[in-house]
């Protein structure tokens, strides 16, 4: 076995990696970064038949983590500056993240629009469910805004990352492994779910069940071309939906229709 790591240089930006995040993680991705608009994806070995293609480069043992970290810069989203833990300065608006292998550095548009949507909702003293918490970014922002937050994720690595990041920010977040079933029987003032269209459509009945009667659902991770499908699924279970389309992604806000 060769020592060191392998990096796959893509002719595409980090969006392409984030689109295939689950397959690449399953294949053994240990990190990803964007430099000059091009993504670099890190592995411990060179692999065939990946979901993305590019040019392979071998890195000496000590170089790979440095290279990955070098590509992650602080990014502004909502009222936060999302900052990799190794670049933290202690600024008041800083949300410090060590994403590990979990999704949610804040560089992705679907995360940024959720942070903006959360900013627009009074959260002090409210209850929030972050479904698919990844790095914990949305849960932490909600907790720092004064909410009581429960965060769940089906990926154990995300549970680990979110727990660590909550502690890093002094945010009180209850993190659990699993999906919406983990909180069955409870309701929340705000449910934020940055997932994907198929999962959101499938979980629509459960999402309605966990939404308080005057609660707000914020759903993201929906490509513009599939927003109609998610909207229909949410309306079908009795939610009133407002959709806001960006260049590529649509954010859906929903409340119970009987209000
Ligand atoms: N919330 C973070 C953000 O906004 O950047 C991460 C979002 S990432 C796109 C989606 C996350 O949802 C992943 O961490 C994935 O493991 C998790 N996930 C996927 N399906 C899920 C499900 N059915 N229930 C709970 N979590 C799920």
């Amino acid at each position: 076995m060769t020592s060191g790591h392998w990096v796959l240089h893509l002719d595409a930006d980090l969006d392409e990696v984030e689109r295939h995040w689950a397959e690449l993680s399953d294949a053994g991705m240990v990190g990803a970064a964007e430099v000059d608009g091009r993504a670099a994806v890190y592995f411990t070995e060179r692999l065939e038949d990946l979901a993305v293609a590019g040019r392979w480069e071998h890195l000496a043992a000590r170089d790979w983590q440095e290279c990955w970290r070098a590509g992650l810069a602080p990014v502004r989203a909502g009222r936060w500056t999302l900052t990799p833990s190794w670049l933290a300065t202690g600024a008041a608006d800083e949300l410090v993240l060590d994403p590990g292998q979990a999704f949610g550095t804040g560089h992705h548009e679907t995360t940024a629009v959720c942070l903006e949507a959360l900013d627009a909702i009074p959260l002090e003293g409210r209850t929030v469910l972050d479904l698919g918490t990844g790095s914990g970014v949305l849960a932490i922002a909600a907790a720092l805004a004064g909410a009581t937050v429960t965060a769940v994720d089906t990926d154990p690595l995300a549970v680990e990352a979110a727990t660590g990041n909550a502690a890093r920010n002094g945010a009180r977040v209850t993190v659990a492994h699993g999906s919406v079933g983990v909180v069955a029987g409870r309701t929340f003032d705000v449910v934020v779910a940055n997932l994907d269209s198929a999962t959101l459509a499938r979980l629509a009945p459960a999402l309605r069940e966990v939404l308080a009667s005057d609660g707000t659902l914020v759903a993201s991770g929906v490509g513009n071309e599939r927003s109609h499908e998610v909207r229909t699924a949410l309306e079908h279970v009795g939610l009133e939906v407002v959709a806001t389309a960006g260049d590529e992604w649509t954010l859906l806000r929903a409340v119970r229709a009987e209000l």
Side-chain angles (χ1 to χ4, degrees), residues 116-128:
E116 284 162 19
L118 289 176
D119 277 352
I121 301 172
L123 292 177
E124 181 74 50
R126 315 291 293 283
T127 53
V128 172

Side-chain angles (χ1 to χ4, degrees), residues 10 34 40 81 114 128 229 241 249:
L10 305 192
E34 186 176 299
T81 302
C114 285
V128 172
E229 181 189 322
V241 181
W249 303 95

